[in-house]
């Protein structure tokens, strides 16, 4: 493999993104690894982007494509809110993303999960995969790490979960994907959206559960060599 080709490859978020509904709102979660070919370009990127005060989007695929779609939709929703005098609903935000993704499906390489809460329908999750289809789901998973999670979610997801149960499920699922998927890694970020507002949480990589064949975090050999010698008393 050509070294220059890998270094100069487009930034891609080989990713794990998740959206889960619970009794009262939604929880969104994502890992933080952005790759450029075989290299990790950013190990702590934020893949959960705010669209409005009550709607967020999880981004996967091409980093550039997902960012420009998010920027356009944020601008349109801002205009929509000014004209109506009230916040946009989750469905409106999801439909805007669907419209842009479908109309540009030959050029865009991004899959998105929209989640949020509004006073009309409560917490909602919408998946918009490649091609611009819009699917309302009780939970949605996307990105390269999602391949390892379908069976897990079929078994573990249940209706009427509490907020804590939903967040624990999301963190556990992302950590499972990180363990198996080479394109997912770093930290886990979650966003909880309900009638009370938005809560962001951060779970560093060394605090995530370890799974089969994963190794405990070790200090770098360089850290050990450069450590000051203990003083003799």
């Amino acid at each position: 493999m050509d070294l220059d080709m890998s270094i100069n490859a487009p930034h891609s978020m080989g990713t794990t993104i998740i959206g889960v509904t619970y009794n009262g709102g939604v929880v969104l979660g994502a890992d933080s690894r952005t790759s450029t070919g075989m290299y990790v370009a950013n190990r702590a990127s934020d893949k959960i982007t705010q669209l409005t005060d009550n709607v967020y989007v999880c981004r996967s695929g091409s980093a550039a494509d997902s960012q420009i779609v998010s920027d356009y939709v944020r601008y349109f929703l801002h205009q929509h809110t000014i004209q109506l005098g009230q916040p946009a609903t989750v469905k409106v935000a999801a439909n805007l993303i669907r419209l842009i993704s479908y109309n540009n499906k030959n050029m865009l390489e991004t899959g998105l999960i929209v989640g949020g809460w509004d006073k009309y329908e409560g917490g909602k999750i919408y998946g918009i995969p490649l091609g611009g289809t819009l699917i309302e789901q009780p939970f949605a998973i996307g990105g390269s790490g999602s391949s390892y999670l379908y069976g897990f979610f079929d078994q573990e997801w249940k209706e009427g979960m509490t907020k804590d149960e939903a967040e624990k499920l999301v963190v556990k699922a992302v950590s499972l994907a990180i363990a198996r998927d080479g394109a997912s890694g770093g930290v886990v970020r979650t966003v909880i959206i309900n009638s009370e507002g938005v809560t962001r949480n951060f779970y560093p990589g060394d605090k995530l559960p370890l799974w089969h064949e994963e190794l405990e975090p070790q200090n770098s050999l360089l850290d050990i060599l450069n450590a000051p010698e203990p003083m003799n008393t």
Side-chain angles (χ1 to χ4, degrees), residues 43-129:
R43 63 179 183 172
S45 58
D46 188 357
K47 302 176 185 179
I48 310 176
T49 301
Q50 184 179 21
L51 296 177
T52 69
D53 290 343
N54 59 311
V55 183
Y56 282 68
V57 61
C58 297
R59 303 178 291 112
S60 71
S62 164
D65 290 355
S66 66
Q67 284 171 0
I68 197 64
V69 170
S70 301
D71 289 345
Y72 269 116
V73 171
R74 190 185 306 109
Y75 168 76
F76 289 137
L77 289 175
H78 182 62
Q79 300 300 315
H80 179 84
T81 300
I82 291 171
Q83 290 173 354
L84 284 176
Q86 64 180 15
T89 64
V90 186
K91 184 181 284 186
V92 166
N95 264 300
L96 268 172
I97 290 182
R98 188 268 313 162
L99 188 67
I100 292 172
S101 295
Y102 182 77
N103 288 340
N104 299 278
K105 60 181 176 290
N106 293 328
M107 292 172 282
L108 294 175
E109 293 184 13
T110 180
L112 302 155
I113 295 172
V114 179
W117 183 95
D118 61 68
K119 63 183 180 181
Y120 300 104
E121 295 189 288
K124 289 290 179 181
I125 294 287
Y126 294 91
I128 302 113

Side-chain angles (χ1 to χ4, degrees), residues 159-172:
E159 206 165 343
M161 287 187 293
T162 65
K163 179 176 72 173
D164 290 341
E165 286 175 335
E167 188 180 23
K168 284 178 183 176
L169 174 64
V170 168
V171 173
K172 185 177 181 181

Side-chain angles (χ1 to χ4, degrees), residues 18-20 139 141 149-157 169-170 173:
I18 298 172
V20 171
F139 66 87
I141 53 180
L149 297 178
Y150 284 98
F152 172 75
F153 264 93
D154 286 342
Q155 183 177 22
E156 294 293 324
W157 186 86
L169 174 64
V170 168

